[in-house]
Amino acid sequence: MKSVDDLLNELTLEEKAAQLSGPSASELGPRLDAASQKGQDLRTALAGCLIDLAPDGMGHLGLGWTLCPDLDAMADFISTLQKALAETSRIPIPALVHLEALNGAVIPGAPAYPTAVAQAATWNPALIRKMAELTREHLLSAGVRHALSPVLDLARDPRWGRVHETFGEDPDLSAAMGVAFVRGLQGEDLRGGVAACAKHFLGYSVSQAGMNLAAVHLGRRTLREEYSRPFEAVIREAGIATVMNSYSEIDGVPVVADPDILTALLRDELGFDGAVVSDYGSIDHLLSRTRLVDGFPEGARLAIEAGLDIEFPDARGYAHLPELVRGGELDVALLDRATRRCLELKERLGLLDDLLGVTVHPGWSAPVPDRDADRATSRAMAGQAAVLLTNDGALPLAPTTRRIAVIGGPATEVRIHYGGYSGVAAAELNTSVAELQTLIADLTAAGDIAADAPTAVGGEGDDPASAGLDDAMGMRLIPTPGFPTRFEEMAREAEPESRSVAQALQEALPDADVVVTAAGGPEGTSTEDADRAAEAAVQADVAVVVVGERTGWVGGITAGEGYDRQELCLPGDQERLIEAAAATGTPVVAVVVSGRPLLLGRIAERSAAVLWAPLLGPAAGEAIADIITGRTSPSGRLPVSFPASMGQIPVFHGARAGSGYDRLGGADAAGYIDGSARPLFCFGHGLTYTDFEYGDIELATAELRAGDAVELTVTITNTGDRDGEEVVQLYARDVLASTTRPARQLLAFTRVAVAAGASRRVRMTAPVNALALVDRTGRLVLEPGEVQLMIGASSSDIRCRTSARIVGALTEVPPHERFLVP
């Protein structure tokens, strides 16, 4: 075994730079295809590729899922790659292969779970940790040791297409979910785990006008107190191994080139000591998007000086680091610093124990994934994530209900319940890109396009053949013949046990007359579709209308990376289905499938009940059917606020005092002249099939000091006739402070099951230091004074209140103590 110091002393400049990136799958793929056509086996082909593309070694491999049809194939590929690397490298340091793993390993065929915003809707960190532990087993079985997850951006603007990838709008809910995720993925010892990656640091989700990649306008205090809070939590509490920079430009400086963000804030203030990796093509953006530099060498210099250690997906910029050092334009100490961090990561993973291309720590066997546990966890998560937004008594369906109309194209689909970073979406993208490449090859052979034309997607104009693969947002230009029918077939093939909502209801109600009318959908709802909906509803006791939007990469999708929207009504005018069904007088149960808040005012007014299904994955149909039929009681709670109008955006519960919808100051601060400032559905909201009564708060002590814990108890009584689960939420508010504080801050929460007619005494604790603020000098301090404590069923449904006082002198809070409960 060689130490990191030994390796640094032995590596040449080129070998050091090679550890900071590597050829991506998009570079390897065409060469491997050509070698295969010549009859070469994979090991020979890979060795040839590495001699040409990675003569000085290979630090990382990105986009690996594009080369392999499933995890088993990836296991063979990675093993062969490491062996070929050992044969072709002077110092055979294993490559670190990464995948996305937001809701399961993002590769076709891997077990899938509900997407991140659905995970947050469970308000159940233990369940998220279990999901991450299972994902770890699958990644380890393939030799994948780095996962570019979780996403810790705060989602406060639903126009942004990536809301579904986040844990929602609240810093503390996101922190709790992020810590659970990282602990599950990395395990107790990283030598037997998978390195997690917190992204996107920082402010990525709060882009101007909700547009992906746009500028960010946030003050230093807001960045520190709110947007960096989930990142600080996973650094301090879970020891996260890597952090990814944001594409954001903050106050005129792109994060990838900003030492104030990547070093002063991330490392010096938050205490991160791992490796910083680039979001794909971040250095490219310094040339093509923000126009800070006129060449890759200068972009690479700015990035490594700022604190970026590793460039993904390939070495567009960092390939120039050796020449910069030799030319005196870059201090070799910066190259050594980045290389050290990369090697230390590999050392923590056990990859330096034996420089022979091992994929896991020698002597340690990868676990055999438990598919039954995968299904059970995915099912439990889906059941706890669905949020009942309104209900006038229509749900659960009465036992006497016999005629049920299930309406809407999405009611018959499985695919609509998946997010963009999923194996299902990955398969769609792989297939579509392959077909596009075939199309380009055919056009080239026929002489319809030049042989040297770009062979990918993106760029400007409508002709995919004239676009460039480096622009990921250009995926929307890929032709997708047969969409959405073909994608639905692919999803069902990948998840053969999944059921659509219609199928699941038919199976759950075998004695009822369940009639399915697949009318309308995100692609458009016509007058004829509305007429068919009305015809079906008028003959039924209840109409279950399933609507939603499609999330992914290619095809007619309306949400996902680079798919931001100006309007948030249901795409395709699907409200017409609900309006037509409701006009018949038949009670309507609306099921809304989406990974972000939508404008649901029209739907809520016309529906007897509204159920939000936030991309629940393979178990979506069963989970929704169980709630509708009453087999289970809904228990999800909103991790995001649902706006009542576009003009309210952004609307979120933790706005600072004097702003947002909980404003003080009299009639001039009450809201808009043409409507309320309050959201349609607030953060933390969610109904059940029973009622809960809250007792008074009992404080352990009303005098709190820095380093103490807020300790309290409250009695929750189930006053209904059904068992149920309540999510008890504790909020705090400073009465006075030296800087403007949030109208409310989520301090703690717990999910508690209470039997019908029973009571549970619930104990809640939170660190007093969590109330620290960044003062006017930039210090993190805890100020003395009164604090209001509020417990409720949501951020606006507060059931009991009390107050406590922070006593003693103003205290500077060490960052590592901010999240610790004594």
Side-chain angles (χ1 to χ4, degrees):
M1 173 180 176
K2 290 187 177 182
S3 69
V4 170
D5 287 335
D6 292 338
L7 289 172
L8 278 174
N9 289 331
E10 292 183 29
L11 293 172
T12 66
L13 292 178
E14 282 74 17
E15 288 169 337
K16 291 174 182 177
Q19 284 301 304
L20 306 183
S21 192
S24 69
S26 60
E27 294 177 282
L28 289 175
R31 291 172 178 260
L32 292 176
D33 289 342
S36 176
Q37 292 174 5
K38 295 178 182 178
Q40 291 184 357
D41 60 45
L42 179 60
R43 185 164 180 175
T44 302
L46 274 172
C49 290
L50 294 176
I51 290 171
D52 291 340
L53 298 175
D56 300 301
M58 179 178 178
H60 306 265
L61 175 66
L63 294 169
W65 52 274
T66 64
L67 294 174
C68 305
D70 52 41
L71 278 175
D72 290 339
M74 177 161 275
D76 293 337
F77 178 85
I78 292 175
S79 177
T80 305
L81 170 69
Q82 304 287 28
K83 293 173 183 176
L85 191 59
E87 295 172 355
T88 58
S89 302
R90 186 178 71 89
I91 302 177
I93 301 172
L96 190 55
V97 181
H98 63 255
L99 282 180
E100 303 281 352
L102 190 69
N103 32 234
V106 177
I107 188 169
Y113 303 90
T115 197
V117 77
Q119 296 166 30
T122 70
W123 292 60
N124 188 346
L127 197 54
I128 277 65
R129 180 167 182 168
K130 178 62 176 178
M131 175 204 70
E133 289 172 346
L134 293 168
T135 299
R136 180 183 74 209
E137 294 182 357
H138 289 283
L139 293 172
L140 289 175
S141 71
V144 176
R145 306 300 304 281
H146 191 194
L148 304 186
S149 303
V151 173
L152 298 180
D153 300 297
L154 301 184
R156 294 175 170 178
D157 191 332
R159 293 174 297 180
W160 187 56
R162 302 186 71 174
V163 170
H164 70 285
E165 300 176 39
T166 76
F167 293 128
E169 71 182 44
D170 184 82
D172 289 273
L173 179 62
S174 297
M177 295 300 172
V179 168
F181 185 101
V182 173
R183 286 175 174 169
L185 194 66
Q186 294 193 164
E188 298 296 328
D189 182 353
L190 200 55
R191 296 167 81 83
V194 174
C197 181
K199 62 186 191 183
H200 307 84
F201 196 83
L202 189 62
Y204 178 43
S205 58
V206 65
S207 54
Q208 182 175 301
M211 295 178 65
N212 198 44
L213 309 180
V216 168
H217 302 287
L218 290 175
R220 179 79 177 189
R221 180 169 288 103
T222 301
L223 282 171
R224 181 67 179 86
E225 288 184 351
E226 299 177 35
Y227 287 86
S228 69
R229 193 176 181 92
F231 292 90
E232 182 178 356
V234 297
I235 292 167
R236 300 292 185 185
E237 298 299 293
I240 195 160
T242 65
V243 169
M244 177 182 286
N245 76 277
S246 165
Y247 286 132
S248 304
E249 168 242 295
I250 302 176
D251 197 24
V253 181
V255 169
V256 71
D258 192 347
D260 286 342
I261 298 295
L262 294 186
T263 297
L265 178 56
L266 178 60
R267 294 190 182 279
D268 299 342
E269 293 189 38
L270 303 189
F272 179 64
D273 61 1
V276 176
V277 307
S278 80
D279 204 343
Y280 277 24
S282 291
I283 294 178
D284 302 51
H285 287 192
L286 295 177
L287 286 72
S288 62
R289 190 169 61 84
T290 54
R291 302 183 181 181
L292 241 63
V293 299
D294 60 4
F296 281 107
E298 178 66 3
R301 183 186 67 79
L302 288 179
I304 200 168
E305 287 179 348
L308 184 79
D309 301 310
I310 297 166
E311 181 184 13
F312 287 158
D314 44 36
R316 301 287 293 278
Y318 277 16
H320 298 278
L321 294 177
E323 68 189 63
L324 290 172
V325 171
R326 290 194 174 94
E329 300 172 77
L330 182 70
D331 189 339
V332 69
L334 294 176
L335 175 58
D336 287 347
R337 181 183 70 180
T339 307
R340 174 180 293 278
R341 289 170 179 164
C342 176
L343 293 175
E344 286 175 345
L345 173 60
K346 292 185 176 183
E347 182 180 53
R348 289 182 64 194
L349 290 163
L351 294 178
L352 300 188
D353 291 358
D354 181 356
L355 303 184
L356 296 176
V358 295
T359 58
V360 294
H361 176 55
W364 178 83
S365 299
V368 177
D370 186 341
R371 294 286 179 154
D372 289 337
D374 290 324
R375 285 187 286 270
T377 302
S378 184
R379 178 66 184 82
M381 190 176 292
Q384 293 185 19
V387 182
L388 185 60
L389 299 176
T390 68
N391 186 22
D392 70 358
L395 291 181
L397 296 182
T400 56
T401 305
R402 284 292 172 264
R403 295 174 300 171
I404 302 163
V406 181
I407 299 168
T412 65
E413 298 177 16
V414 166
R415 168 60 183 89
I416 200 166
H417 299 287
Y418 289 83
Y421 280 93
S422 64
V424 166
E428 295 167 355
L429 181 56
N430 281 350
T431 299
S432 299
V433 169
E435 291 176 351
L436 177 60
Q437 291 171 339
T438 299
L439 172 63
I440 292 171
D442 292 344
L443 292 172
T444 302
D448 293 331
I449 61 174
D452 59 352
T455 57
V457 264
E460 301 176 358
D462 296 324
D463 181 8
S466 67
L469 189 64
D470 296 329
D471 181 4
M473 300 310 101
M475 296 303 177
R476 70 184 67 178
L477 300 178
I478 297 178
T480 51
F483 174 87
T485 303
R486 190 171 59 130
F487 283 4
E488 175 67 15
E489 293 171 352
M490 292 170 62
R492 287 178 178 270
E493 182 178 355
E495 300 286 352
E497 296 183 11
S498 291
R499 298 290 184 270
S500 68
V501 174
Q503 288 175 296
L505 281 171
Q506 288 173 326
E507 293 174 5
L509 299 168
D511 298 327
D513 184 14
V514 180
V515 179
V516 180
T517 303
E523 288 71 48
T525 300
S526 65
T527 300
E528 180 182 352
D529 291 327
D531 291 343
R532 292 176 61 200
E535 181 181 353
V538 76
Q539 302 176 48
D541 298 323
V542 65
V544 177
V545 185
V546 185
V547 294
E549 64 174 349
R550 301 191 191 283
T551 306
W553 287 98
V554 290
I557 64 172
T558 59
E561 186 170 357
Y563 291 83
D564 313 309
R565 293 182 62 196
Q566 293 182 7
E567 300 289 341
L568 292 174
C569 56
L570 281 164
D573 197 16
Q574 295 172 83
E575 289 92 343
R576 297 176 68 181
L577 294 176
I578 292 170
E579 291 169 344
T584 67
T586 299
V588 171
V589 173
V591 178
V592 180
V593 181
S594 74
R596 61 174 161 195
L598 298 173
L599 296 178
L600 301 182
R602 288 171 61 186
I603 290 176
E605 288 176 4
R606 293 163 175 80
S607 301
V610 180
L611 181 70
W612 183 48
L615 305 184
L616 301 177
E622 295 173 88
I624 293 167
D626 283 352
I627 289 172
I628 289 174
T629 59
R631 288 183 176 180
T632 60
S633 180
S635 60
R637 301 293 186 270
L638 290 181
V640 285
S641 302
F642 274 59
S645 69
M646 290 296 297
Q648 294 178 336
I649 295 171
V651 58
F652 54 96
H653 88 93
R656 294 182 184 265
S659 301
Y661 57 87
D662 276 344
R663 304 176 72 185
L664 303 176
D668 62 336
Y672 302 99
I673 63 171
D674 54 352
S676 170
R678 301 191 67 81
L680 184 65
F681 302 113
C682 68
F683 175 82
H685 171 71
L687 304 178
T688 68
Y689 290 155
T690 188
D691 295 305
F692 295 97
E693 182 178 282
Y694 286 61
D696 293 332
I697 297 174
E698 298 181 21
L699 270 176
T701 177
E703 289 192 350
L704 305 170
R705 297 180 183 274
D708 287 349
V710 179
E711 297 185 40
L712 54 83
T713 56
V714 63
T715 299
I716 309 295
T717 301
N718 184 340
T719 60
D721 58 4
R722 290 180 60 106
D723 297 346
E725 294 190 14
E726 177 73 315
V727 176
V728 184
Q729 303 163 38
L730 170 63
Y731 296 91
R733 174 186 294 136
D734 280 314
V735 175
L736 292 173
S738 62
T739 62
T740 307
R741 302 294 294 139
R744 73 185 63 78
Q745 176 183 335
L746 180 67
L747 272 190
F749 58 89
T750 186
R751 173 182 278 265
V752 56
V754 187
S759 296
R760 289 282 301 273
R761 192 170 178 82
V762 178
R763 179 177 179 270
M764 305 183 79
T765 63
V768 174
N769 287 352
L771 296 170
L773 57 84
V774 177
D775 71 5
R776 299 187 188 191
T777 68
R779 298 178 304 163
L780 184 65
V781 300
L782 186 70
E783 295 182 339
E786 184 180 356
V787 176
Q788 294 181 353
L789 298 172
M790 303 161 282
I791 290 182
S794 77
S795 61
S796 64
D797 184 9
I798 300 301
R799 305 292 185 88
C800 48
R801 304 169 186 263
T802 190
S803 64
R805 178 168 290 277
I806 298 174
V807 299
L810 181 145
T811 305
E812 188 163 359
V813 176
H816 67 277
E817 294 183 2
R818 189 176 181 185
F819 296 95
L820 296 178
V821 178

